[in-house]
Amino acid sequence: MTDALILVIEDEPEIAEILESYFAREGFRVICARDGTTGLAHHQRLRPDLVVLDIKLPGQDGYEVLAAIRRRGDTPVIMVTALAEDLDKLQALRIGADDYVVKPFNPHEVVARARAVLRRTMGRVPDTLLRVGPLTVDPDAYRATLEGDAGPVSLDLTPTEFRILAHMARSQGRAFSRADLVDACLPEGSALDRTVDSHVSNLRRKLAAAGAEGMLEGVRGVGYRLDASHVR
């Protein structure tokens, strides 16, 4: 749970920064969006474990964003809003919110509620996402993204590059030989070591261009290793 990704959709910068700070302090990974459209784009790409959602947003309001999230699946959502009327709470819960916090709030309470919601929900669907530092790999959707200062970056990978990245992400920090990668990721069976080197070289270049230079490194006498601690 401590590695869970929290998406905060909040248009007030001060509140967003407070929530981001408190969640990060507790060991969560956090991405923020200031409007509903950006928030839904982050949700589509990153598949967060939980969404903290304001109701009064520019453009699409929180109810519309919540409805869109529910059409996509069952990502848990906590509404954080100044709207304290019972009808507002009932509407949010009817659409599918998992909890509802009224502003002004204690940030510790929001984090505690998030933990409670995650304890209830994280076990209901197996989490297939693979995470290595800022890198998230979704094997089901064939999608890999990197979280950066300017927001998430989607990696444009070939099928073979994606298979190599996903295979290494399942055992981050392990050194893989070229033969390991051929057997697991190049099913055609006739691939040579230099073919693996070519795919890995392209993959390293794309990771570096997205801000993760050094994540995929060569290991002398062995092969390659994927490790977030080596990001430069």
Side-chain angles (χ1 to χ4, degrees):
M1 183 185 299
T2 55
D3 191 42
L5 176 62
I6 310 296
L7 170 60
V8 175
I9 307 177
E10 167 63 65
D11 66 322
E12 296 185 46
E14 183 177 353
I15 293 177
E17 290 170 7
I18 290 172
L19 289 171
E20 181 177 14
S21 174
Y22 273 78
F23 275 117
R25 188 181 306 169
E26 294 298 316
F28 293 98
R29 298 177 303 119
V30 190
I31 186 75
C32 295
R34 297 293 168 81
D35 60 78
T37 301
T38 303
L40 286 173
H42 288 345
H43 179 266
Q44 177 71 22
R45 288 194 298 268
L46 298 176
R47 297 193 177 187
D49 298 293
L50 182 141
V51 177
V52 177
L53 175 63
D54 188 18
I55 289 180
K56 289 188 173 181
L57 293 169
Q60 293 176 290
D61 66 23
Y63 295 131
E64 294 173 300
V65 174
L66 175 59
I69 290 174
R70 282 291 160 266
R71 287 194 294 270
R72 294 175 178 176
D74 56 1
T75 305
V77 177
I78 297 178
M79 308 299 284
V80 178
T81 178
L83 301 177
E85 297 295 328
D86 287 342
L87 286 177
D88 297 314
K89 297 179 183 179
L90 289 173
Q91 182 175 352
L93 295 172
R94 186 165 52 246
I95 296 173
D98 294 84
D99 204 348
Y100 194 105
V101 179
V102 177
K103 299 175 183 177
F105 56 79
N106 183 328
H108 289 291
E109 179 187 358
V110 179
V111 173
R113 289 189 181 223
R115 287 188 181 280
V117 170
L118 286 169
R119 280 196 295 269
R120 294 197 306 265
T121 61
M122 286 191 77
R124 71 189 177 199
V125 176
D127 186 0
T128 60
L129 298 183
L130 306 171
R131 296 187 172 102
V132 183
L135 172 69
T136 300
V137 180
D138 185 344
D140 295 332
Y142 250 61
R143 180 186 299 116
T145 56
L146 273 167
E147 294 174 38
D149 295 337
V153 177
S154 182
L155 298 177
D156 183 16
L157 306 178
T158 67
T160 299
E161 290 165 2
F162 182 87
R163 288 196 298 269
I164 291 173
L165 185 64
H167 183 63
M168 299 182 77
R170 291 186 179 95
S171 301
Q172 56 177 295
R174 171 188 164 188
F176 291 87
S177 70
R178 293 170 176 82
D180 291 333
L181 297 178
V182 168
D183 291 341
C185 307
L186 285 81
E188 57 269 21
S190 60
L192 303 175
D193 285 356
R194 62 176 177 271
T195 305
V196 174
D197 289 340
S198 177
H199 289 302
V200 170
S201 176
N202 290 334
L203 184 53
R204 292 172 76 176
R205 175 175 51 78
K206 292 177 181 180
L207 285 167
E213 184 177 0
M215 177 174 282
L216 179 50
E217 63 169 4
V219 180
R220 182 170 305 197
V222 180
Y224 300 100
R225 175 169 54 207
L226 188 69
D227 191 342
S229 65
H230 295 83
V231 175
R232 294 191 290 273

